[in-house]
Amino acid sequence: MECVFGLVGKDFAIVVADSSAVHSILVHKTNEDKIMLLDSHKLMGASGETGDRAQFTEYIQKNVALYQFRNGIPLTTAATANFTRGELATALRKNPYMVNIILAGYDKEGPSLYFVDYIASLHKLDKAAFGYGSYFALSMMDRHYHRDMTVEEAVNLVDKVIMEIRSRLVVAPPNFVIKIVDKDGAREYAWRESIKDAPVIAS
Amino acid sequence: MARYDRAITVFSPDGHLFQVEYALEAVRKGNAAVGVRGTDTIVLAVEKKSTPKLQDSRSVRKIVNLDNHIALACAGLKADARVLINRARIECQSHKLTVEDPVTVEYITRYIAGLQQKYTQSGAWKANATGRNSNSIREFLEKNYKETCGQETVKLAMRALLEVVESGGKNLEVAVMTKDHGLRQLEEAEIDAIVAEIEAEKAAAEAAKKAPPKET
């Protein structure tokens, strides 16, 4: 039921993820942040097994930081994507990580988006999606996406996708987080919440 | 005596570990390095041997980042330093991965000392020096240390180093660490400007010493 998708715009890339943390029939929380900031100009949205997701993305983040300290310059997005894929591939036949990843970054090549799935496929794409929501996300993006979208156009498309997921997917995740990366860096853009975690009632 | 210095694990008959002492000697011959802690700033300054004109001086860095909040300046064999720095950098990230917290200065110092099998490291210095003429620098700091902040801390560190280093921005490498800006290496022009300020202050102090007898 988890859903992560992303797209590349004119000088930026956007990654969107649902924010529900679910265990069997229980929703632990509805504001789980599944998009990790790898460094100042990279975003990694991940879906899949909760433990693997946290562990693997943190591992990649620390290795990206180590590279920067060792070499004085940050990894390119392409290099990060290939490193990530390599780690997944190495673990695959012994102890696979059940994580699907959408990596977005901004470097001297401009904005870019990479699709890395749990069996270590790697694709550089303009738009990508994971999860049951991908059926709706990909259809909406195929219909409305065009190259060099502005931030407003892209966010409009993102909102259209979220509306489709909410209305058409049974057990749809209620809340989403949107993060953006451009020349000024990677940052949280907005939340789309239809359910807020209830505050504790004082007795 | 020479027979007992071939391996680090061999004691001489009078209880010396020659390899360790030779290593300490190498540090004593190394470039002077100074560290000073202010209220909101930490400054590291290292003597820079003159780099060949054709070498990009920025590529020879003696002050390095271990993590966002920790920097290291070293004296001695740079090749050995590189190995230790690499291990320390890995440990900084590994620590963050396992306990979700950045390393403390004390932790990473203990870790590096552990790598060197030297248990004489000590912590919590207000100011210290190592390398060539470190004793003179430490004497200067003992006489002149006071709680400073911001630019004053930088000047104190540089004044200490200038006691033993030939003056001039070409011979100094200075890095400043603050909470907001992390580690910042000073440009040669900035260093020259501060050196000029220090010299001016010194000259003014000298003049003031000579002036009073004239007052009646």
Side-chain angles (χ1 to χ4, degrees):
Chain A
M1 303 306 172
E2 292 193 341
C3 178
V4 183
F5 62 95
L7 56 106
V8 177
K10 179 147 178 49
D11 286 308
F12 65 93
I14 270 189
V15 179
V16 184
D18 78 285
S19 55
S20 56
V22 167
H23 187 90
S24 168
I25 57 166
L26 174 69
V27 178
H28 279 300
K29 57 197 287 217
T30 52
N31 58 358
E32 171 87 349
D33 186 352
K34 298 178 191 172
I35 308 179
M36 173 157 281
L37 261 55
L38 289 188
D39 72 9
S40 62
H41 286 73
K42 289 182 195 45
L43 290 173
M44 177 175 271
S47 72
E49 217 44 64
T50 314
D52 279 350
R53 172 169 45 78
Q55 176 76 348
F56 186 74
T57 54
E58 279 173 25
Y59 174 72
I60 299 294
Q61 185 195 53
K62 299 301 182 272
N63 271 287
V64 167
L66 183 61
Y67 181 95
Q68 168 137 20
F69 281 114
R70 272 182 170 151
N71 301 290
I73 50 166
L75 272 169
T76 60
T77 321
T80 312
N82 279 282
F83 172 70
T84 306
R85 192 211 78 86
E87 291 297 308
L88 287 168
T90 307
L92 185 62
R93 307 240 179 237
K94 284 212 173 85
N95 211 357
Y97 290 103
M98 301 301 287
V99 205
N100 299 309
I101 279 162
I102 302 238
L103 173 71
Y106 190 97
D107 53 18
K108 56 177 163 39
E109 304 285 314
S112 51
L113 189 86
Y114 289 86
F115 165 108
V116 190
D117 77 6
Y118 75 103
I119 31 179
S121 323
L122 172 67
H123 297 293
K124 182 177 188 303
L125 299 168
D126 285 335
K127 50 184 160 30
F130 278 113
Y132 284 120
S134 70
Y135 293 116
F136 308 103
L138 287 171
S139 309
M140 289 307 282
M141 291 197 288
D142 281 346
R143 172 70 183 82
H144 294 290
Y145 177 88
H146 57 89
R147 306 209 61 211
D148 294 338
M149 292 175 87
T150 64
V151 178
E152 290 74 35
E153 290 173 324
V155 174
N156 268 335
L157 177 49
V158 163
D159 281 329
K160 283 197 174 82
V161 171
I162 291 175
M163 192 152 63
E164 278 302 300
I165 294 173
R166 277 185 180 151
S167 54
R168 289 298 186 182
L169 183 59
V170 68
V171 203
N175 299 342
F176 291 81
V177 62
I178 304 173
K179 295 199 182 179
I180 189 171
V181 60
D182 60 16
K183 67 170 174 23
D184 298 322
R187 59 195 176 279
E188 194 175 280
Y189 182 85
W191 284 79
R192 298 288 188 245
E193 290 174 306
S194 57
I195 290 181
K196 282 201 163 54
D197 274 338
V200 177
I201 303 167
S203 53
Chain B
M1 271 302 151
R3 285 186 289 138
Y4 300 103
D5 67 354
R6 284 281 165 254
I8 197 167
T9 50
V10 175
F11 277 104
S12 69
D14 59 347
H16 288 254
L17 276 173
F18 279 120
Q19 284 299 324
V20 174
E21 289 178 20
Y22 294 162
L24 285 167
E25 198 47 46
V27 172
R28 250 174 256 133
K29 288 200 163 32
N31 301 323
V34 159
V36 177
R37 181 174 69 160
T39 52
D40 61 352
T41 310
I42 301 172
V43 182
L44 296 174
V46 183
E47 177 191 2
K48 210 162 68 176
K49 288 282 159 64
S50 53
T51 48
K53 280 213 175 98
L54 289 172
Q55 182 174 46
D56 185 350
S57 59
R58 299 183 67 84
S59 71
V60 190
R61 281 283 169 222
K62 298 187 173 136
I63 306 176
V64 296
N65 250 333
L66 292 186
D67 200 348
N68 296 323
H69 63 302
I70 302 209
L72 178 144
C74 49
L77 262 48
K78 294 300 180 302
D80 281 350
R82 233 199 304 276
V83 171
L84 286 172
I85 289 166
N86 192 35
R87 295 287 299 273
R89 281 172 170 158
I90 294 173
E91 180 61 20
C92 283
Q93 297 303 317
S94 179
H95 187 276
K96 265 201 282 215
L97 190 56
T98 40
V99 308
E100 198 89 357
D101 261 341
V103 297
T104 57
V105 181
E106 199 209 325
Y107 176 91
I108 201 68
T109 311
R110 232 181 304 128
Y111 177 81
I112 295 173
L115 289 176
Q116 295 171 293
Q117 288 178 295
K118 203 169 67 140
Y119 297 100
T120 54
Q121 53 82 27
S122 46
W125 285 83
K126 289 190 238 182
N128 201 353
T130 182
R132 199 166 66 79
N133 296 325
S134 52
N135 286 329
S136 331
I137 303 180
R138 225 172 285 125
E139 264 174 49
F140 175 87
L141 286 169
E142 274 171 31
K143 255 191 271 185
N144 295 288
Y145 180 83
K146 55 184 199 304
E147 290 266 303
T148 50
C149 63
Q151 194 71 330
E152 282 308 307
T153 317
V154 180
K155 279 211 208 132
L156 177 58
M158 286 179 62
R159 242 182 280 132
L161 195 55
L162 285 168
E163 289 284 304
V164 303
V165 169
E166 304 93 65
S167 174
K170 290 199 199 353
N171 302 314
L172 298 179
E173 188 176 317
V174 183
V176 181
M177 173 160 284
T178 49
K179 188 159 187 227
D180 301 320
H181 301 287
L183 184 74
R184 197 172 73 87
Q185 305 267 7
L186 297 189
E187 303 275 321
E188 211 174 285
E190 281 180 271
I191 298 176
D192 279 331
I194 301 175
V195 168
E197 263 182 65
I198 293 174
E199 310 261 280
E201 278 169 18
K202 250 199 241 177
E206 288 290 313
K209 255 196 267 178
K210 293 196 179 118
K214 284 201 183 139
E215 289 173 25
T216 42

